[in-house]
């Protein structure tokens, strides 16, 4: 039995349909052009009628009668005037045409002359980096069309580029950090210095988006932040960087800003922090801010290697175990902290083995804040004594389980003197102040996605928690209240956060505490207990 062929749709039918659609579209466009005056007048009459109804509804009822009489008198006068109805009709059509006009403001379809020159300059500057002699159809050529390479662009009020999306060839080595750095440095220079730029590389789509970032708020002073126990606000960042905001007060203004929150405790993956910066960059301010936040629910031991007395306001306060500024006091305090970590581990392990909750004397967190410990290390080496950093091995290694947190602040020129345990166990990193790309990469582990300005305010830098993204950071203003250069508003803000001052009892020793023989178990015993627990 032979199969019957399926009916076919001829191409002539398709051509007729396409031609019919084109004729209908052209007829509609021509009709719109011809009837445009009528459409404008009709739209104006509708708007005038709507305005009249709105005016009538807003008129009180006791005034509607006189208003109707006035309108009737005007109509009667116009009707008896020579050419009155014709003039009234012309006036009404003119008013309708005026009110029915298209009120959308005409927008420029492209950049002006100055903006075009900026885009051409950026395009020409990128030609040596985004072109190759072997490319048969290069996207970037000298004297080429910049509109093909720049997908989108935007300018700020000063005429400088605020956003730019660049399409680059697929053979560009965008996976190499050195190649990226060259392009970012070039765009930073050509787009305008004095601003920070974020670079977002889309390797799959071969596109680079450059965005000029607004400056971070530097007017937020120290205050009580709405955080849970174990959360510490390092500073504030961009809204797109985090998914949380905190209410803050700046003078009389109250607003919500995105913070960089560092979480510590037993379940923290970054239990210790390292802050690095230059002189006057704000590392001491960061440690003072952390101390004021943690004193609400923790005990704090401060070791100041610089010897400038920046933490004198915290001495003798409730929760502050000691503020040590000399080598002898620092060694005594850190030795006690190491044995206290051992004691907590042993006590918590015994409680877990007995099926009991941890003892009360191990629940309150302990914070060790060290400002420039390498200075004390150099003094100890000259005096033939022990380096204070060697006493941090136990708190750094077992501090998370024992509720002990270590925060170290150091300058860039002293990073080489930091011990290996400090480098390995401080997974939360902060870099403040002006620094080179190599210095930032050495601290953060990667290059920031933004470019820094030449003049950065104190407390301005970057933060990275573990292997997370790099955030721009602005530390809240927490100056020394005893400094004469501190403003009165900031002084009162810091003094209001200080705990009450406590007086030592009569005959109480100046040491932090005494350590029993059982607590001096040593690092080997601590490791054994941690492995058994």
């Amino acid at each position: 039995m032979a199969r019957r062929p399926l009916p076919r749709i001829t191409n002539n039918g398709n051509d007729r349909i396409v031609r019919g659609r084109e004729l209908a579209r052209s007829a509609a466009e021509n009709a719109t052009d011809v009837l445009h005056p009528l459409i404008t007048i009709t739209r104006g009459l509708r708007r005038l009628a709507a305005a009249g109804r709105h005016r009538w509804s807003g008129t009180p009822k006791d005034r509607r009668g006189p208003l109707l009489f006035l309108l009737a008198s005007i109509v009667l006068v116009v009707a008896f005037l020579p050419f009155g109805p014709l003039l009234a009709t012309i006036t009404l059509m003119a008013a309708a045409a005026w009110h029915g006009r298209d009120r959308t403001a005409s927008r420029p379809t492209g950049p002006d002359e100055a903006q075009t020159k900026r885009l051409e300059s950026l395009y020409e500057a990128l030609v040596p980096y985004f072109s190759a002699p072997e490319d048969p159809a290069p996207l970037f050529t000298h004297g080429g069309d910049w509109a093909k390479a720049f997908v989108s662009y935007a300018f700020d009020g000063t005429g400088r580029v605020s956003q730019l999306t660049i399409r680059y060839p697929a053979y560009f080595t965008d996976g190499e950090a050195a190649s990226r750095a060259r392009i970012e440095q070039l765009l930073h220079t050509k787009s305008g210095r004095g601003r920070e730029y974020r670079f977002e590389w889309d390797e799959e789509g071969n596109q680079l988006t450059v965005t000029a970032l607004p400056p971070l708020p530097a007017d937020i002073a120290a205050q009580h932040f709405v955080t849970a126990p174990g959360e510490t606000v390092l500073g504030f960042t961009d809204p797109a960087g985090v998914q949380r905001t905190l209410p803050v007060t700046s003078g009389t203004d109250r607003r919500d800003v995105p913070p960089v929150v560092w979480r510590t405790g037993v379940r923290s993956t970054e239990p210790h922090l390292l802050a690095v910066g230059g002189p006057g960059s704000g590392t001491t301010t960061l440690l003072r801010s952390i101390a004021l936040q943690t004193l609400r629910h923790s005990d704090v031991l401060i070791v100041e290697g610089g010897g400038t007395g920046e933490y004198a306001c915290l001495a003798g306060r409730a929760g502050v175990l000691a503020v040590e500024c000399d080598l002898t006091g620092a060694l005594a305090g850190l030795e006690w902290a190491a044995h206290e970590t051992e004691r907590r581990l042993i006590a918590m392990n015994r409680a877990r083995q007995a099926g009991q909750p941890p003892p009360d004397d191990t629940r309150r967190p302990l914070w060790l804040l060290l400002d420039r410990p390498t200075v004390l290390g150099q003094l100890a080496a000259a005096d033939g004594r022990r380096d204070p950093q060697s006493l941090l091995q136990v708190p750094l290694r077992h501090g998370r389980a024992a509720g002990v947190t270590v925060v170290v602040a150091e300058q860039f020129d002293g990073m080489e003197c930091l011990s290996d345990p400090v480098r390995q166990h401080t997974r939360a990193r902060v870099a403040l102040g002006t620094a080179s790309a190599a210095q930032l990469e050495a601290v953060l582990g990667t290059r920031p996605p933004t470019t820094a300005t030449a003049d950065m305010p104190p407390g301005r830098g970057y933060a990275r928690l573990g292997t997370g993204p790099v955030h721009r950071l602005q530390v809240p203003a927490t100056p020394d209240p005893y400094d004469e250069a501190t403003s009165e508003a900031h002084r009162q803000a810091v003094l209001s956060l200080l705990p009450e001052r406590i007086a030592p009892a009569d005959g109480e020793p100046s040491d932090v505490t005494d350590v029993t023989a059982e607590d001096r178990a040593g690092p080997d015993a601590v490791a054994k207990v941690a492995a058994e627990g």
Side-chain angles (χ1 to χ4, degrees), residues 17-213:
I17 293 174
V18 172
R19 283 198 298 270
R21 290 177 179 176
E22 293 178 354
L23 291 175
R25 188 181 297 109
S26 60
E29 293 176 355
N30 294 333
T32 301
D33 296 337
V34 172
L35 300 177
H36 181 71
L38 182 59
I39 295 173
T40 302
I41 293 176
T42 304
R43 187 189 305 120
L45 291 175
R46 186 170 61 253
R47 292 177 179 176
L48 290 175
R53 287 195 301 269
H54 179 71
R55 182 66 180 272
W56 178 259
S57 62
T59 304
K61 293 184 179 181
D62 56 344
R63 297 183 181 179
R64 291 182 179 180
L67 182 60
L68 285 176
F69 179 76
L70 178 62
L71 293 176
S73 301
I74 294 175
V75 171
L76 185 62
V77 170
V78 170
F80 283 101
L81 285 177
F83 306 102
L86 179 61
L87 294 177
T89 303
I90 295 174
T91 304
L92 180 61
M93 294 298 104
W98 175 259
H99 285 83
R101 71 188 188 281
D102 189 5
R103 300 181 181 181
T104 56
S106 60
R107 298 181 179 179
T109 57
D112 55 18
E113 183 178 358
Q115 295 173 354
T116 302
K117 289 183 178 180
R118 281 185 174 272
L119 294 176
E120 290 177 352
S121 175
L122 285 173
Y123 178 83
E124 293 292 335
L126 292 172
V127 169
Y129 303 94
F130 286 154
S131 62
E134 299 81 7
D135 192 353
L139 183 62
F140 286 82
T141 57
H142 291 290
D145 186 9
W146 58 265
K148 296 180 180 179
F150 297 161
V151 179
S152 62
Y153 51 85
F155 295 86
D156 57 8
T158 61
R160 295 189 296 178
V161 177
S162 61
Q163 189 273 336
L164 180 65
T165 301
I166 304 172
R167 185 164 61 93
Y168 57 86
Y171 53 78
F172 175 72
T173 56
D174 52 3
E176 299 179 1
S179 301
R180 289 189 176 195
R182 288 194 297 268
I183 299 299
E184 293 175 1
Q185 180 64 27
L186 174 65
L187 293 175
H188 181 202
T189 305
K190 292 295 183 179
S191 299
R193 297 182 181 271
R195 297 185 299 173
E196 296 183 65
Y197 297 89
R198 178 180 295 277
F199 299 93
E200 299 178 3
W201 291 84
D202 182 10
E203 294 88 349
E204 296 181 356
N206 297 325
Q207 289 187 356
L208 169 61
T209 302
V210 185
T211 306
L213 300 176

Side-chain angles (χ1 to χ4, degrees), residues 196-198 213-214 216 232 234-244 258-263 270 427-433 440 443-452 456 459-475:
E196 296 183 65
Y197 297 89
R198 178 180 295 277
L213 300 176
L216 293 177
T232 305
L234 300 179
F236 303 96
T237 184
D238 300 306
V242 294
Q243 300 178 356
R244 177 181 177 182
V260 178
V261 179
W262 174 39
R263 294 174 176 85
E270 301 86 21
R427 293 173 49 83
R429 299 293 182 91
V430 174
L432 299 179
L440 293 176
V443 176
L444 304 174
T446 183
R447 293 177 180 266
T450 61
T451 57
M456 300 181 67
R460 179 68 181 81
Y462 300 94
R464 189 188 188 194
L465 305 179
T467 58
V470 179
H471 301 283
R472 289 202 305 165
L473 182 70
Q474 177 63 52
V475 178

Side-chain angles (χ1 to χ4, degrees), residues 223-302:
Q223 55 192 280
H224 283 299
F225 300 113
V226 184
T227 56
E231 293 183 346
T232 305
V233 176
L234 300 179
F236 303 96
T237 184
D238 300 306
V242 294
Q243 300 178 356
R244 177 181 177 182
T245 58
L246 288 180
V248 298
T249 303
S250 177
T252 58
D253 185 20
R254 186 174 179 85
R255 63 184 187 272
D256 293 339
V257 292
V260 178
V261 179
W262 174 39
R263 294 174 176 85
T264 57
V266 180
R267 295 177 176 83
S268 174
T269 57
E270 301 86 21
H272 309 294
L273 182 138
L274 173 62
V276 184
S281 59
T283 54
T284 302
T285 299
L286 175 61
L287 261 65
R288 195 182 297 112
S289 174
I290 293 175
L292 293 177
Q293 296 182 57
T294 56
L295 280 175
R296 290 185 290 176
H297 48 77
S298 307
D299 293 330
V300 177
L301 173 62
I302 301 175

Side-chain angles (χ1 to χ4, degrees), residues 310-382:
E310 293 285 344
Y311 305 94
C313 60
L314 297 171
R317 301 285 179 173
V320 180
L321 301 179
V323 179
E324 303 294 350
C325 300
D326 57 345
L327 179 59
T328 303
L331 289 174
L334 294 179
E335 184 178 1
W336 170 85
H339 292 302
E340 174 65 14
T341 305
E342 299 172 3
R343 185 195 67 81
R344 292 189 176 202
L345 279 178
I346 295 172
M348 295 172 67
N349 183 65
R350 290 175 178 173
R352 284 195 297 266
Q353 290 179 357
Q356 298 177 358
D360 294 337
D361 58 350
T362 62
R363 294 184 178 182
R364 186 170 176 83
L366 173 62
W367 286 66
L368 307 179
L369 306 182
L370 292 86
D371 194 350
R372 300 195 66 186
T374 58
V375 177
L376 297 176
Q378 295 174 359
L379 295 177

Side-chain angles (χ1 to χ4, degrees), residues 350-503:
R350 290 175 178 173
R352 284 195 297 266
Q353 290 179 357
Q356 298 177 358
D360 294 337
D361 58 350
T362 62
R363 294 184 178 182
R364 186 170 176 83
L366 173 62
W367 286 66
L368 307 179
L369 306 182
L370 292 86
D371 194 350
R372 300 195 66 186
T374 58
V375 177
L376 297 176
Q378 295 174 359
L379 295 177
D383 199 16
R385 304 175 70 178
R386 188 177 185 180
D387 189 354
Q389 295 186 67
S390 62
L391 298 171
L392 295 176
Q393 183 175 0
V394 174
L396 287 170
R397 180 176 297 180
H398 307 287
R400 177 173 57 181
V404 180
T405 303
V406 180
V407 180
V408 179
E410 191 50 69
Q411 295 186 2
F412 285 109
D413 54 2
M415 282 191 61
E416 297 180 356
C417 300
L418 291 176
S419 61
D420 292 337
V422 173
R423 294 172 177 270
Q424 294 173 4
H425 295 284
T426 52
R427 293 173 49 83
R429 299 293 182 91
V430 174
L432 299 179
T434 304
S436 62
Q439 291 176 329
L440 293 176
E441 187 175 4
V443 176
L444 304 174
T446 183
R447 293 177 180 266
T450 61
T451 57
T453 58
D455 186 13
M456 300 181 67
R460 179 68 181 81
Y462 300 94
R464 189 188 188 194
L465 305 179
T467 58
V470 179
H471 301 283
R472 289 202 305 165
L473 182 70
Q474 177 63 52
V475 178
T478 316
D480 183 9
Y482 298 159
D483 189 359
E484 296 180 356
T486 303
S487 63
E488 186 63 25
H490 289 171
R491 179 181 292 107
Q492 294 300 326
V494 175
L495 291 176
S496 63
L497 297 177
L498 290 175
E500 59 181 2
R501 190 179 296 276
I502 56 176

